[in-house]
Amino acid sequence: MERKLQYSPLSNHDIRVIQLLTPVDHPDHATGPVHCKIVHVSLDDSHLVDDSTRATKGSNRVWPVSVDGVIDDVVDGESKTSHPEGFSSLFERSLAERLFPLARIPEVPYMETPNWLKRKPRKTEGRHRAIAWDPSQDPEADLPWRYTWGDFVALSYVWGDPTNRREIYVNDVPVSVTASLESALRELRNHSRIQQGFYIWVDALCINQDDLDERSAQVGRMKDIYHKAWHVVIWLGPEENRSDLAMLALRYMSLHAKQGDVLSKLYKRVEFYVVRLPFMQWKHSHTSLLIRKAVLSAIHHLLARSYWRRLWIIQEVVLGSRKSPVLCGGSSILVKDIFDSLQVMKEDGDALGQYIIFAARGTGQQRWNAVGNETYEISEKLWDRPVAITALQALETNLSTPNRSIYDALLISREANATDQRDHVYGILGLPQIADNIKLLPDYNLTASKTFILFSTRLLTSGDLNSLRLVDSPVPRIGTKYFKSTHFSRPRVPKFIRGHRIVHRGCEHGLPSWVICWSCPRNPAQPFLNRLSTLPPFPSFLATAPQITNDNLLTVKGIIFDTITTLSACHTTESDKSYPHNDPEPPQSPYGSRAATREALARTLTGNDPAGGWDDPDVVLHPTLWSTGIMGVDDNVFGLKDFYYRNRTLQLFDGWPSLDSFIRPTEPQPLGRRVRDAAGTAPKFLRATAAHREALRAAMRRLGWRRLVTTGREGYLGLAPAAARAGDAVAVLAGCNAPLVLRPVEEKEKGEGAGTGPGACGGRFSVVGEAYVHWVTGQELQQRVEKGVCTVDDICIC
């Protein structure tokens, strides 16, 4: 009869940990099946050692990593060579790479055929293996443990394919676990800290997964478990796709990132003039890689692993430390190494970041703006997501873009993968940003829809309404098949458009519009990065907490500022031919002159971020960017040129008949002036600067799956979700850091029992999504309330 593992009940402060048997216990455990024992321990403070001034085992917080031996001589010796001995395998090219420098590197390390191109990889296994524990050389042998019963680490890993199972022995009982967990335990038993005696907490074994009550209780304690663990050990998976090279490269970039010269060691830019005459200039530029393409491909495969998209890692990594070890096969580095190296990729995404993508996926792949299919492995999310996760830690960094708030935690978890949809909520309850504001106990007896409603209710009634910015609004139908050459300037607009389909349907589970639906895919529009500038300061809101009635009606204080009247098309192949939609009576520009209005348009397109080029409107509004674009940056239908040709007839303000009025000179230039300009130094198609590239990418990100809009009464410029329509309201709600687009609900949709008048919440709205409005001075809301033009009312959202 098959034996089944029996779990003993847990007391109030107890948790289960496993004692992993290692070669120190018996030589058979070096290569044989994984054996472990379950132990009950208490995390109560009464079990901590009494003498807090005395050192304990592991009090130095050091987990010996295998890569340290490679870089010690570099750190201590300040090597002056360009490629220290330990890192030479990152720069030595194979014969295939030397013969075909422009070829796409295959996923296997080296060419399979023909034989004369084969080259054996550099042997790194001996240098990257885990450091074994030698009891006779242990300086902590006489030190006590942190707890009276010992100490433990918490394992962070991805469960993996549930059908790929392997057998381990727990309390001498054979237990079937996922191959990912078995490989993690098999590797950990070779590490010195585990051989020293540290226990391991792993959810699949330490929680009785068949007991829903215990599962709910233990999930509620995971913040405490990961916080009190000596370290959070991150397991990325077994070695494959030359992950040893990727780990070595990340350590190399982390080391040199502190010195500020890492990019010069990875690639160099080559620029020279092919033709340089007074009337014609042709400047050629390209990038020459110093690092092997096989290394870039390995980095791509490492960052594309499913671990980075797992929901629970958000809480696990955040509750760890920057010294937490990261294991991949026999290689190990620290979390801070990954964070520092990915910061380099993020800041240089237009060059190094794209070379990493192209090395493994080819140059023909689209990026974040690809339609329909999974884009994680071919997009900037490869480094954006890990950087955002590690930024939520209390690290000593100068990271200024992510705002460490509830919104950041929600945004990261919105794109994570979870087997159980309820874990999208329960998996982030332990984050400090969430735990400090919401008290919610996991309950796996509730359905997913009830869990989402309960979480949103607790979040909104706490006074933070930024979750409304993540509302899942739809994206309308577009044409997915068309003819448009990427090598010639004609045709400038897609021709023979067909294959029309809806890009994103929004939430289809019948939830109130103020509830985040974690079961549906997120709206494909990129979040506004410079979020603090989306809303001017407004101190006059009443400090009244939002209320939610039994019929799921949210009542909150706010201002209905204006309505949307003019909208652009959200995509160059949008099926609805009524877009762009112009207001029959367009407003006057509140910004004043044409120059001031152009600056406002530039600020709107770049998110009011000086790095995007708004401080010089001629950069982002340069006619070349809007007519021909920059090859390699906007070779798809999301470029400014495609937006421009679809929306040329868009009339934003009275007095300027079309978008052309802000892009091209209003008066025709004499022939002599045009000849002098052509011979000057103004940027042309082949001479685009880094500023033009950055401005173009910033504008493309913000316009993707959004509409450029103006409000009817005041004429303010802004960006709205693709689902926005003429007549939608622009509202500012207390507790939300960005304006929202609200849609009035028709009388037939309200049902009976609706009150009348603003105070009775007679007008009900549904949330369409977050918006960006470019104000004039930043005090418009305050001034309009003081003048009585707008009032702070109860706004009802259903």
Side-chain angles (χ1 to χ4, degrees), residues 90 93 97 100-105 289 291-298 355 359-360:
L90 301 178
R93 298 185 180 183
E97 291 174 301
F100 307 105
L102 301 179
R104 176 181 172 185
I105 300 300
L289 288 177
I291 192 171
R292 294 172 50 198
K293 283 189 176 181
V295 177
L296 300 181
S297 179
Y355 288 130

PDB file of all heavy atoms in Angstrom, residues 90 93 97 100-105 289 291-298 355 359-360:
ATOM      1  N   LEU A  90      33.645  35.933 -21.370  1.00  0.00           N
ATOM      2  CA  LEU A  90      32.581  36.808 -21.852  1.00  0.00           C
ATOM      3  C   LEU A  90      32.962  37.492 -23.159  1.00  0.00           C
ATOM      4  O   LEU A  90      32.087  37.969 -23.885  1.00  0.00           O
ATOM      5  CB  LEU A  90      32.247  37.882 -20.814  1.00  0.00           C
ATOM      6  CG  LEU A  90      31.793  37.409 -19.434  1.00  0.00           C
ATOM      7  CD1 LEU A  90      31.568  38.606 -18.528  1.00  0.00           C
ATOM      8  CD2 LEU A  90      30.529  36.572 -19.543  1.00  0.00           C
ATOM      9  N   ARG A  93      35.441  35.231 -28.559  1.00  0.00           N
ATOM     10  CA  ARG A  93      34.426  34.829 -29.521  1.00  0.00           C
ATOM     11  C   ARG A  93      34.754  33.461 -30.110  1.00  0.00           C
ATOM     12  O   ARG A  93      35.909  33.119 -30.318  1.00  0.00           O
ATOM     13  CB  ARG A  93      34.319  35.850 -30.644  1.00  0.00           C
ATOM     14  CG  ARG A  93      33.903  37.232 -30.160  1.00  0.00           C
ATOM     15  CD  ARG A  93      33.698  38.159 -31.321  1.00  0.00           C
ATOM     16  NE  ARG A  93      33.293  39.484 -30.874  1.00  0.00           N
ATOM     17  CZ  ARG A  93      32.981  40.485 -31.689  1.00  0.00           C
ATOM     18  NH1 ARG A  93      33.032  40.300 -32.998  1.00  0.00           N
ATOM     19  NH2 ARG A  93      32.626  41.653 -31.208  1.00  0.00           N
ATOM     20  N   GLU A  97      31.286  32.959 -34.520  1.00  0.00           N
ATOM     21  CA  GLU A  97      31.012  34.378 -34.318  1.00  0.00           C
ATOM     22  C   GLU A  97      32.011  35.244 -35.065  1.00  0.00           C
ATOM     23  O   GLU A  97      31.677  36.344 -35.514  1.00  0.00           O
ATOM     24  CB  GLU A  97      31.049  34.706 -32.828  1.00  0.00           C
ATOM     25  CG  GLU A  97      29.893  34.097 -32.051  1.00  0.00           C
ATOM     26  CD  GLU A  97      30.028  34.301 -30.556  1.00  0.00           C
ATOM     27  OE1 GLU A  97      31.034  33.841 -29.981  1.00  0.00           O
ATOM     28  OE2 GLU A  97      29.137  34.931 -29.971  1.00  0.00           O
ATOM     29  N   PHE A 100      30.940  34.870 -38.918  1.00  0.00           N
ATOM     30  CA  PHE A 100      29.627  35.429 -39.234  1.00  0.00           C
ATOM     31  C   PHE A 100      29.205  36.386 -38.119  1.00  0.00           C
ATOM     32  O   PHE A 100      28.342  36.078 -37.298  1.00  0.00           O
ATOM     33  CB  PHE A 100      28.589  34.312 -39.389  1.00  0.00           C
ATOM     34  CG  PHE A 100      29.008  33.239 -40.358  1.00  0.00           C
ATOM     35  CD1 PHE A 100      29.434  32.003 -39.907  1.00  0.00           C
ATOM     36  CD2 PHE A 100      28.994  33.483 -41.724  1.00  0.00           C
ATOM     37  CE1 PHE A 100      29.817  31.020 -40.798  1.00  0.00           C
ATOM     38  CE2 PHE A 100      29.378  32.501 -42.617  1.00  0.00           C
ATOM     39  CZ  PHE A 100      29.799  31.263 -42.161  1.00  0.00           C
ATOM     40  N   PRO A 101      29.806  37.569 -38.035  1.00  0.00           N
ATOM     41  CA  PRO A 101      29.529  38.478 -36.910  1.00  0.00           C
ATOM     42  C   PRO A 101      28.107  39.001 -36.885  1.00  0.00           C
ATOM     43  O   PRO A 101      27.622  39.418 -35.836  1.00  0.00           O
ATOM     44  CB  PRO A 101      30.538  39.618 -37.133  1.00  0.00           C
ATOM     45  CG  PRO A 101      30.854  39.563 -38.597  1.00  0.00           C
ATOM     46  CD  PRO A 101      30.786  38.130 -38.978  1.00  0.00           C
ATOM     47  N   LEU A 102      27.416  38.983 -38.023  1.00  0.00           N
ATOM     48  CA  LEU A 102      26.057  39.512 -38.064  1.00  0.00           C
ATOM     49  C   LEU A 102      25.003  38.425 -37.979  1.00  0.00           C
ATOM     50  O   LEU A 102      23.809  38.715 -38.010  1.00  0.00           O
ATOM     51  CB  LEU A 102      25.841  40.325 -39.355  1.00  0.00           C
ATOM     52  CG  LEU A 102      26.777  41.520 -39.548  1.00  0.00           C
ATOM     53  CD1 LEU A 102      26.461  42.217 -40.861  1.00  0.00           C
ATOM     54  CD2 LEU A 102      26.652  42.497 -38.382  1.00  0.00           C
ATOM     55  N   ALA A 103      25.427  37.179 -37.861  1.00  0.00           N
ATOM     56  CA  ALA A 103      24.460  36.081 -37.846  1.00  0.00           C
ATOM     57  C   ALA A 103      23.761  36.008 -36.499  1.00  0.00           C
ATOM     58  O   ALA A 103      24.312  36.374 -35.467  1.00  0.00           O
ATOM     59  CB  ALA A 103      25.166  34.760 -38.140  1.00  0.00           C
ATOM     60  N   ARG A 104      22.533  35.502 -36.509  1.00  0.00           N
ATOM     61  CA  ARG A 104      21.800  35.288 -35.267  1.00  0.00           C
ATOM     62  C   ARG A 104      22.385  34.072 -34.543  1.00  0.00           C
ATOM     63  O   ARG A 104      22.577  33.016 -35.126  1.00  0.00           O
ATOM     64  CB  ARG A 104      20.324  35.056 -35.572  1.00  0.00           C
ATOM     65  CG  ARG A 104      19.501  34.728 -34.322  1.00  0.00           C
ATOM     66  CD  ARG A 104      18.051  34.484 -34.703  1.00  0.00           C
ATOM     67  NE  ARG A 104      17.299  33.981 -33.576  1.00  0.00           N
ATOM     68  CZ  ARG A 104      16.035  33.592 -33.651  1.00  0.00           C
ATOM     69  NH1 ARG A 104      15.394  33.671 -34.794  1.00  0.00           N
ATOM     70  NH2 ARG A 104      15.406  33.133 -32.586  1.00  0.00           N
ATOM     71  N   ILE A 105      22.683  34.234 -33.263  1.00  0.00           N
ATOM     72  CA  ILE A 105      23.290  33.159 -32.503  1.00  0.00           C
ATOM     73  C   ILE A 105      22.222  32.110 -32.188  1.00  0.00           C
ATOM     74  O   ILE A 105      21.147  32.443 -31.692  1.00  0.00           O
ATOM     75  CB  ILE A 105      23.890  33.690 -31.188  1.00  0.00           C
ATOM     76  CG1 ILE A 105      24.966  34.741 -31.518  1.00  0.00           C
ATOM     77  CG2 ILE A 105      24.501  32.576 -30.355  1.00  0.00           C
ATOM     78  CD1 ILE A 105      26.102  34.210 -32.348  1.00  0.00           C
ATOM     79  N   LEU A 289      30.056  45.455 -31.041  1.00  0.00           N
ATOM     80  CA  LEU A 289      29.982  44.753 -29.767  1.00  0.00           C
ATOM     81  C   LEU A 289      31.350  44.232 -29.360  1.00  0.00           C
ATOM     82  O   LEU A 289      32.079  43.647 -30.172  1.00  0.00           O
ATOM     83  CB  LEU A 289      29.001  43.583 -29.857  1.00  0.00           C
ATOM     84  CG  LEU A 289      27.517  43.930 -29.936  1.00  0.00           C
ATOM     85  CD1 LEU A 289      26.698  42.652 -30.095  1.00  0.00           C
ATOM     86  CD2 LEU A 289      27.061  44.684 -28.707  1.00  0.00           C
ATOM     87  N   ILE A 291      31.441  42.499 -26.246  1.00  0.00           N
ATOM     88  CA  ILE A 291      31.023  41.284 -25.550  1.00  0.00           C
ATOM     89  C   ILE A 291      30.450  40.307 -26.571  1.00  0.00           C
ATOM     90  O   ILE A 291      29.906  40.720 -27.607  1.00  0.00           O
ATOM     91  CB  ILE A 291      29.990  41.620 -24.453  1.00  0.00           C
ATOM     92  CG1 ILE A 291      29.776  40.432 -23.529  1.00  0.00           C
ATOM     93  CG2 ILE A 291      28.679  42.080 -25.063  1.00  0.00           C
ATOM     94  CD1 ILE A 291      28.944  40.765 -22.301  1.00  0.00           C
ATOM     95  N   ARG A 292      30.584  39.032 -26.320  1.00  0.00           N
ATOM     96  CA  ARG A 292      30.108  38.017 -27.255  1.00  0.00           C
ATOM     97  C   ARG A 292      28.587  38.041 -27.372  1.00  0.00           C
ATOM     98  O   ARG A 292      27.880  38.253 -26.378  1.00  0.00           O
ATOM     99  CB  ARG A 292      30.558  36.626 -26.810  1.00  0.00           C
ATOM    100  CG  ARG A 292      32.062  36.409 -26.855  1.00  0.00           C
ATOM    101  CD  ARG A 292      32.402  35.075 -26.211  1.00  0.00           C
ATOM    102  NE  ARG A 292      31.580  34.003 -26.737  1.00  0.00           N
ATOM    103  CZ  ARG A 292      31.416  32.820 -26.143  1.00  0.00           C
ATOM    104  NH1 ARG A 292      32.012  32.585 -24.984  1.00  0.00           N
ATOM    105  NH2 ARG A 292      30.667  31.890 -26.700  1.00  0.00           N
ATOM    106  N   LYS A 293      28.094  37.809 -28.561  1.00  0.00           N
ATOM    107  CA  LYS A 293      26.651  37.721 -28.746  1.00  0.00           C
ATOM    108  C   LYS A 293      26.067  36.523 -28.015  1.00  0.00           C
ATOM    109  O   LYS A 293      24.914  36.554 -27.578  1.00  0.00           O
ATOM    110  CB  LYS A 293      26.307  37.638 -30.238  1.00  0.00           C
ATOM    111  CG  LYS A 293      26.401  38.971 -30.955  1.00  0.00           C
ATOM    112  CD  LYS A 293      25.832  38.865 -32.364  1.00  0.00           C
ATOM    113  CE  LYS A 293      25.840  40.209 -33.047  1.00  0.00           C
ATOM    114  NZ  LYS A 293      25.262  40.143 -34.411  1.00  0.00           N
ATOM    115  N   ALA A 294      26.864  35.458 -27.900  1.00  0.00           N
ATOM    116  CA  ALA A 294      26.387  34.304 -27.148  1.00  0.00           C
ATOM    117  C   ALA A 294      26.116  34.672 -25.696  1.00  0.00           C
ATOM    118  O   ALA A 294      25.205  34.119 -25.063  1.00  0.00           O
ATOM    119  CB  ALA A 294      27.417  33.176 -27.225  1.00  0.00           C
ATOM    120  N   VAL A 295      26.866  35.614 -25.146  1.00  0.00           N
ATOM    121  CA  VAL A 295      26.638  36.067 -23.771  1.00  0.00           C
ATOM    122  C   VAL A 295      25.341  36.851 -23.681  1.00  0.00           C
ATOM    123  O   VAL A 295      24.544  36.676 -22.754  1.00  0.00           O
ATOM    124  CB  VAL A 295      27.828  36.918 -23.284  1.00  0.00           C
ATOM    125  CG1 VAL A 295      27.564  37.459 -21.890  1.00  0.00           C
ATOM    126  CG2 VAL A 295      29.116  36.104 -23.309  1.00  0.00           C
ATOM    127  N   LEU A 296      25.096  37.723 -24.656  1.00  0.00           N
ATOM    128  CA  LEU A 296      23.844  38.487 -24.666  1.00  0.00           C
ATOM    129  C   LEU A 296      22.646  37.558 -24.804  1.00  0.00           C
ATOM    130  O   LEU A 296      21.606  37.765 -24.158  1.00  0.00           O
ATOM    131  CB  LEU A 296      23.867  39.504 -25.804  1.00  0.00           C
ATOM    132  CG  LEU A 296      24.988  40.550 -25.763  1.00  0.00           C
ATOM    133  CD1 LEU A 296      24.852  41.502 -26.937  1.00  0.00           C
ATOM    134  CD2 LEU A 296      24.966  41.310 -24.452  1.00  0.00           C
ATOM    135  N   SER A 297      22.796  36.532 -25.644  1.00  0.00           N
ATOM    136  CA  SER A 297      21.721  35.554 -25.787  1.00  0.00           C
ATOM    137  C   SER A 297      21.475  34.827 -24.474  1.00  0.00           C
ATOM    138  O   SER A 297      20.323  34.573 -24.083  1.00  0.00           O
ATOM    139  CB  SER A 297      22.056  34.561 -26.892  1.00  0.00           C
ATOM    140  OG  SER A 297      21.042  33.585 -27.030  1.00  0.00           O
ATOM    141  N   ALA A 298      22.549  34.493 -23.768  1.00  0.00           N
ATOM    142  CA  ALA A 298      22.400  33.814 -22.477  1.00  0.00           C
ATOM    143  C   ALA A 298      21.707  34.705 -21.459  1.00  0.00           C
ATOM    144  O   ALA A 298      20.874  34.236 -20.666  1.00  0.00           O
ATOM    145  CB  ALA A 298      23.777  33.390 -21.960  1.00  0.00           C
ATOM    146  N   TYR A 355      20.165  44.956 -28.018  1.00  0.00           N
ATOM    147  CA  TYR A 355      21.093  43.931 -28.486  1.00  0.00           C
ATOM    148  C   TYR A 355      20.859  42.612 -27.753  1.00  0.00           C
ATOM    149  O   TYR A 355      21.033  41.533 -28.328  1.00  0.00           O
ATOM    150  CB  TYR A 355      22.538  44.393 -28.284  1.00  0.00           C
ATOM    151  CG  TYR A 355      22.950  45.475 -29.249  1.00  0.00           C
ATOM    152  CD1 TYR A 355      23.548  46.644 -28.794  1.00  0.00           C
ATOM    153  CD2 TYR A 355      22.728  45.341 -30.613  1.00  0.00           C
ATOM    154  CE1 TYR A 355      23.919  47.640 -29.669  1.00  0.00           C
ATOM    155  CE2 TYR A 355      23.086  46.337 -31.496  1.00  0.00           C
ATOM    156  CZ  TYR A 355      23.683  47.488 -31.026  1.00  0.00           C
ATOM    157  OH  TYR A 355      24.030  48.472 -31.896  1.00  0.00           O
ATOM    158  N   ALA A 359      19.913  39.433 -29.911  1.00  0.00           N
ATOM    159  CA  ALA A 359      20.861  38.320 -29.916  1.00  0.00           C
ATOM    160  C   ALA A 359      20.155  36.976 -29.865  1.00  0.00           C
ATOM    161  O   ALA A 359      20.640  35.984 -30.412  1.00  0.00           O
ATOM    162  CB  ALA A 359      21.822  38.450 -28.734  1.00  0.00           C
ATOM    163  N   ALA A 360      18.994  36.928 -29.198  1.00  0.00           N
ATOM    164  CA  ALA A 360      18.279  35.665 -29.057  1.00  0.00           C
ATOM    165  C   ALA A 360      17.052  35.572 -29.944  1.00  0.00           C
ATOM    166  O   ALA A 360      16.673  34.478 -30.364  1.00  0.00           O
ATOM    167  CB  ALA A 360      17.869  35.459 -27.588  1.00  0.00           C
TER     168      ALA A 360
END
